[in-house]
Amino acid sequence: MTLMDLLFALFVVPVLVLAVLAASKGRHWSGAWLLTLAPLFLPMAEDGFLAVWYALATPQLDPHGIAGVVEPHAAGHVLGAGVSTILLGILAAWIARRPLRRGETWAWKALLVIGTVVVTIGVVELLFFCGHGLRTTGT
């Protein structure tokens, strides 16, 4: 079992359980938990924490680390982007667990905006930057 298999299981198993419980607990309850899991496991885990790690790690610690290799200003932007992503995920999780769970209409709209921003950034990243194997830079 690889790390990706484990992460997949950690994400998919709770989603399946929530789908089964939706009938008895209600869709606001299930939706709140689904929207809590999504920002915590997806963008925060990969984009947020990896950006923070790469900004702080030297190439000796991690081959992708940029600390001491790029200008401190650039490393600061990578660190800031990672922290912002983590905070956005925490905000989305809070909205999902509190206002959305209570059925407040503005919460759906806020999560729609947050989700649209995250998906748009992910698509741009996928198509034009890293691509997870779809597009390479030759290194």
Side-chain angles (χ1 to χ4, degrees):
M1 177 180 271
T2 67
L3 178 60
M4 290 306 291
D5 293 334
L6 179 62
L7 290 174
F8 180 76
L10 288 174
F11 183 71
V12 171
V13 170
V15 168
L16 293 174
V17 169
L18 289 170
V20 170
L21 291 175
S24 63
K25 295 283 191 178
R27 72 183 166 142
H28 284 123
W29 183 90
S30 296
W33 272 110
L34 286 172
L35 290 170
T36 300
L37 290 174
L40 291 177
F41 279 100
L42 302 174
M44 276 179 50
E46 184 178 8
D47 294 338
F49 291 118
L50 277 179
V52 169
W53 171 252
Y54 290 154
L56 299 175
T58 63
Q60 292 78 20
L61 189 58
D62 186 313
H64 303 291
I66 63 171
V69 177
V70 300
E71 291 291 324
H73 184 97
H77 281 292
V78 173
L79 180 62
V83 170
S84 297
T85 301
I86 292 167
L87 292 176
L88 184 65
I90 291 169
L91 174 64
W94 177 83
I95 291 171
R97 293 295 306 138
R98 303 287 184 198
L100 180 67
R101 192 169 162 193
R102 290 189 299 260
E104 296 179 26
T105 305
W106 71 266
W108 286 105
K109 294 173 185 174
L111 289 170
L112 179 63
V113 169
I114 290 171
T116 301
V117 168
V118 169
V119 168
T120 301
I121 290 170
V123 168
V124 168
E125 177 185 307
L126 182 68
L127 294 176
F128 300 107
F129 294 98
C130 68
H132 294 287
L134 296 177
R135 185 178 201 171
T136 62
T137 59
T139 57

